[in-house]
Amino acid sequence: MNYVEHIGKYFIMLKQVFRKPQKWSVFRETLFREIEDLGLKSLGIIAFISFFVGGVVAIQTALNVDSPLIPKHLIGFATKRSMILEFAPTFMCVILAGKVGSYITSSIGTMRVTEQIDALEVMGINSLNYLVLPKIIAAVFFYPLLVLMAMFLGIYGGYLAGVLTDLFHSEDYIYGIQLEFNPFFIQYALIKTFVFAFVIATIPAYHGYFVKGGSLEVGRASTQAVVWTSIVIILLNYFLTQMLLS
Amino acid sequence: MIEVYNLHKEFDGVPVLKGITTTFEKGKTNMIIGQSGSGKTVFLKCLLGLQVPEKGIISFDGRKHTELDIKSHRQLRQEIGMVFQGGALYDSLTVEENIMFPLQMFTENSKEEMLERVNVVLNRVNLENANKKFPAELSGGMQKRVAIARAIVMNPKYLFCDEPNSGLDPNTAIVIDNLIQEITKEYNIITVINSHDMNSVMEIGEKIIFLKDGVKAWEGTNKEIFETENEAIVKFVYSSNLFKKVRDAYLKKTK
């Protein structure tokens, strides 16, 4: 199957996904389960990674800014900008593509090969709507919160890393993170996250839903899903940055 | 009655079903048998609407499958119960939740009413005290019982079973066969079973359709199967010496 065919099939799938749920009470229940599986269970890893990434960015900047002409508050400024613009939305979403993407593909793929999706269809349930829509809603509304948390923890991680190792003074860092604050950057980061969350929920779902074969194929589909989700995130990151910032 | 007329299905230009015409009757255990690759699973999937045939008519009590609008199609599907080969139970749900699932989706019953109905069907399949267990904690036979319970919880008019006793020991297989037959009589439904287990065929096959290379090669009852001279089915059914001896003994006795 060529790429154009896959893209076409993906959009046809989305058409089926965006239908009215069969029963709102069941949808609500599924949505809360997905928020837990896709969002809350990723809190720990996102907090851990963002905290240390922020620390590393601050240390790297501090070590590379050795000219006395460059003010020290630039460290805080650079950490803030890189966390808000790139590390929190893009890097964290690539991490989520790996963690959540493989989970989505393998869970839906296993349902496919064990005929659980057929069982839904036989009952007269729109399986794509039932399985994928709650995942999209959960990701799209929860991941911006995760990214906001990642921004905060990354900047805080940078602060602690520098202050604890005496690479810079806390006043410089705090002045740096307050300098030239542009609220649109937060908006830009959240728009990106919103789009990436949609991609993280749908591309792996596509790979899982249309898998054929057995457990080996489910494993392959999971790998493919993570690869394609990451590629699409990186490409969209480029285009969104062009559109929103230039 | 389910009527099938001139059903054709192909994959990538390769014909799998070649003009099957038959009927499945109410209150009877109808069986589709045939070798692996004969097209029986595709036939069953066409009946269920999981595969769309290229040509032909499938009619459920006068309602033509292919001519129904989405709403009527959904309605029809709610009248169908299906027991999949591997059970197809939802791993993340308990036994109770699995069986309750169709009720939650399609009825406005209160939770108490749904639980009551769940217990009724679990009792019917002789499975008690398993409500809170997950499918992975059950044996193969118990999983099949749960699958049957889920299939009948909505009081279906049509029950389809894809190799319901595959992977089960002979004793459990007989129990499952008998259970399906009892349910068919008790609920007066149309049951269609896809199987290549000759014990089941002889035991509960009240109407048997034998497929060979996508064509209906023979049709009859489990009694007639002993007397038929049809070469294809004789070769298929009596491939084991045991069955050959049983047939010889039966023919000797009746002559």
Side-chain angles (χ1 to χ4, degrees), chain A residues 16 19 22-23 25-26 29 33 110-111 114-126 130, chain B residues 45 48 50 74 77-78 80 82 84-86 88-91 101-102 104-108 150 162:
Chain A
Q16 286 296 315
R19 294 277 167 96
Q22 192 106 26
K23 197 124 182 239
S25 57
V26 177
E29 213 175 283
R33 205 165 46 229
T110 305
M111 286 187 78
T114 56
E115 296 180 309
Q116 292 175 46
I117 291 179
D118 286 344
L120 287 172
E121 289 291 331
V122 168
M123 282 179 207
I125 294 164
N126 176 347
Y130 173 74
Chain B
K45 285 192 172 177
L48 288 164
L50 294 174
R74 287 243 161 92
R77 285 197 169 179
Q78 286 165 36
I80 293 175
M82 171 75 192
F84 285 88
Q85 194 175 350
L89 300 174
Y90 304 119
D91 304 322
F101 184 73
Q104 282 177 319
M105 284 308 243
F106 300 111
T107 70
E108 297 300 328
R150 186 178 67 183
D162 188 14

Side-chain angles (χ1 to χ4, degrees), chain B:
Chain B
M1 184 188 281
I2 302 174
E3 291 163 283
V4 181
Y5 177 72
N6 195 27
L7 195 72
H8 286 263
K9 174 73 191 165
E10 59 179 51
F11 291 103
D12 300 324
V14 180
V16 178
L17 300 178
K18 304 168 194 167
I20 293 175
T21 299
T22 190
T23 55
F24 298 106
E25 291 156 34
K26 205 173 183 178
K28 281 188 179 175
T29 43
N30 302 274
M31 299 193 92
I32 305 165
I33 62 168
Q35 285 176 329
S36 299
S38 58
K40 54 187 194 305
T41 301
V42 175
F43 185 31
L44 195 74
K45 285 192 172 177
C46 285
L47 292 174
L48 288 164
L50 294 174
Q51 298 278 359
V52 182
E54 266 75 40
K55 216 170 115 186
I57 296 168
I58 301 168
S59 163
F60 286 74
D61 292 316
R63 291 170 294 175
K64 287 178 189 161
H65 209 303
T66 43
E67 290 174 12
L68 295 175
D69 57 34
I70 293 174
K71 204 178 163 190
S72 314
H73 206 264
R74 287 243 161 92
Q75 178 60 41
L76 173 63
R77 285 197 169 179
Q78 286 165 36
E79 294 172 13
I80 293 175
M82 171 75 192
V83 180
F84 285 88
Q85 194 175 350
L89 300 174
Y90 304 119
D91 304 322
S92 57
L93 305 181
T94 61
V95 165
E96 190 174 274
E97 289 164 342
N98 259 289
I99 300 169
M100 212 195 286
F101 184 73
L103 296 171
Q104 282 177 319
M105 284 308 243
F106 300 111
T107 70
E108 297 300 328
N109 294 351
S110 67
K111 192 157 186 199
E112 288 70 34
E113 287 169 324
M114 286 193 266
L115 280 174
E116 202 183 313
R117 178 72 187 142
V118 168
N119 288 325
V120 167
V121 290
L122 275 175
N123 264 327
R124 184 63 199 85
V125 297
N126 307 318
L127 196 66
E128 283 144 34
N129 306 320
N131 294 43
K132 300 292 175 200
K133 287 188 175 165
F134 284 91
E137 298 172 294
L138 304 175
S139 67
M142 286 163 95
Q143 286 188 17
K144 286 280 161 67
R145 283 167 200 256
V146 177
I148 294 171
R150 186 178 67 183
I152 61 171
V153 76
M154 293 282 287
N155 277 324
K157 285 184 183 169
Y158 318 97
L159 179 65
F160 291 88
C161 308
D162 188 14
E163 306 203 9
N165 46 25
S166 73
L168 300 180
D169 65 83
N171 276 338
T172 315
I174 290 167
V175 171
I176 296 291
D177 281 343
N178 290 337
L179 182 63
I180 293 170
Q181 195 175 35
E182 282 164 25
I183 286 169
T184 305
K185 303 288 172 209
E186 195 178 312
Y187 289 61
N188 194 27
I189 54 180
I190 301 173
T191 298
V192 181
I193 304 170
N194 187 357
S195 179
H196 49 215
D197 178 12
M198 279 309 119
N199 284 326
S200 301
V201 175
M202 299 301 196
E203 196 72 33
I204 61 166
E206 290 170 286
K207 178 169 183 179
I208 301 158
I209 290 130
F210 173 61
L211 297 188
K212 190 169 187 280
D213 300 328
V215 175
K216 186 181 81 179
W218 185 83
E219 192 175 87
T221 65
N222 54 355
K223 302 278 179 295
E224 288 164 354
I225 219 165
F226 281 111
E227 290 151 10
T228 180
E229 296 297 328
N230 182 302
E231 205 179 311
I233 190 144
V234 167
K235 208 173 159 191
F236 174 71
V237 176
Y238 304 107
S239 52
S240 97
N241 283 333
L242 178 70
F243 278 118
K244 247 183 232 164
K245 282 178 189 164
V246 172
R247 185 188 190 222
D248 291 343
Y250 175 85
L251 291 176
K252 214 170 160 184
K253 201 175 147 190
T254 50
K255 270 178 192 172

